[in-house]
Amino acid sequence: MTSMTRTSERGLSKFHRLLLDQVGHEFTASHQYFALAAWFDEHDLPELARVFYRQSLEERDHATMIVRYLIDNDVAPAIPGIGEIQTDFTGHRDLVALALRQERQVTEQFELLAKTAREEHDYTGEQFLDWFLQEQVEEVTTMSTLLAIVDRADGNRFDIETWVAREMPDTPGDDTTAPETAGPSVG
């Protein structure tokens, strides 16, 4: 990586500034998923709560993966605050639809990061993002499917919970292809 790619007038490349922003986006997503999980928990939907608590941990891990990458590339990880979290919902469909919108937005953010890395000839940065882009395909697919199941259940929460328990179990084991986290991984 050339020093021109690494720095700008403000000391960081556009790519690194966007990565720092993404840390905030990932922590915001983690908090939003936690809010969704708590709502499901409060409304006696333990399987949906489990899925979204797990999702909250995964988003937290994504933020720490980016922090580790920044540290390893001599970029001070100034951790940004989180964005606004929605906590008022009218029904379980609203929560899953929000999760799908959030995953689509995160996909757009990672695509912009990859485009920026490529434009700045930051091939290491571009390669780092490959795992996240693949992960986003999975995340969007999962939330799209879950929303379809919620819609097909036509308000029958028992059917949704049964499907989630059967089709979305917690899968033990670490993804050996995932980037390293800063600190221990919790997802």
Side-chain angles (χ1 to χ4, degrees), residues 39-57:
W39 189 95
F40 285 127
D41 214 353
E42 177 186 11
H43 289 85
D44 299 319
L45 296 164
E47 292 299 324
L48 284 164
R50 175 187 52 79
V51 165
F52 285 95
Y53 282 131
R54 168 68 55 198
Q55 201 61 37
S56 174
L57 294 174

Side-chain angles (χ1 to χ4, degrees), residues 15-176:
F15 173 67
H16 287 138
R17 286 193 313 273
L18 287 172
L19 265 183
L20 286 167
D21 290 344
Q22 193 63 35
V23 170
H25 298 319
E26 295 297 319
F27 279 128
T28 298
S30 177
H31 278 66
Q32 185 63 70
Y33 275 128
F34 194 87
L36 300 180
W39 189 95
F40 285 127
D41 214 353
E42 177 186 11
H43 289 85
D44 299 319
L45 296 164
E47 292 299 324
L48 284 164
R50 175 187 52 79
V51 165
F52 285 95
Y53 282 131
R54 168 68 55 198
Q55 201 61 37
S56 174
L57 294 174
E58 284 184 19
E59 300 304 327
R60 179 253 182 217
D61 278 354
H62 295 171
T64 64
M65 290 171 184
I66 296 169
V67 169
R68 169 55 49 207
Y69 175 84
L70 291 167
I71 290 169
D72 290 348
N73 284 276
D74 298 323
V75 177
I79 308 301
I82 64 167
E84 188 173 334
I85 304 301
Q86 184 177 343
T87 58
D88 187 28
F89 304 101
T90 57
H92 58 281
R93 186 191 191 284
D94 293 343
L95 284 77
V96 178
L98 172 63
L100 177 56
R101 283 191 310 274
Q102 179 172 285
E103 289 301 340
R104 286 180 174 153
Q105 181 179 15
V106 169
T107 298
E108 290 173 6
Q109 292 163 345
F110 276 110
E111 287 171 348
L112 175 61
L113 278 160
K115 178 181 180 233
T116 303
R118 180 167 288 184
E119 287 171 352
E120 294 184 345
H121 306 288
D122 187 338
Y123 303 114
T124 304
E126 186 176 355
Q127 184 275 329
F128 169 71
L129 296 172
D130 283 347
W131 182 88
F132 290 96
L133 292 167
Q134 291 173 13
E135 177 77 2
Q136 283 310 119
V137 170
E138 177 188 318
E139 299 294 344
V140 169
T141 299
T142 298
M143 291 305 155
S144 293
T145 301
L146 183 54
L147 185 58
I149 296 303
V150 167
D151 287 343
R152 278 189 232 143
D154 198 28
N156 186 328
R157 294 176 178 193
F158 181 76
D159 285 348
I160 298 166
E161 284 284 287
T162 301
W163 185 89
V164 169
R166 184 183 66 237
E167 300 296 329
M168 299 179 77
D170 283 338
T171 52
D174 293 326
D175 179 354
T176 58

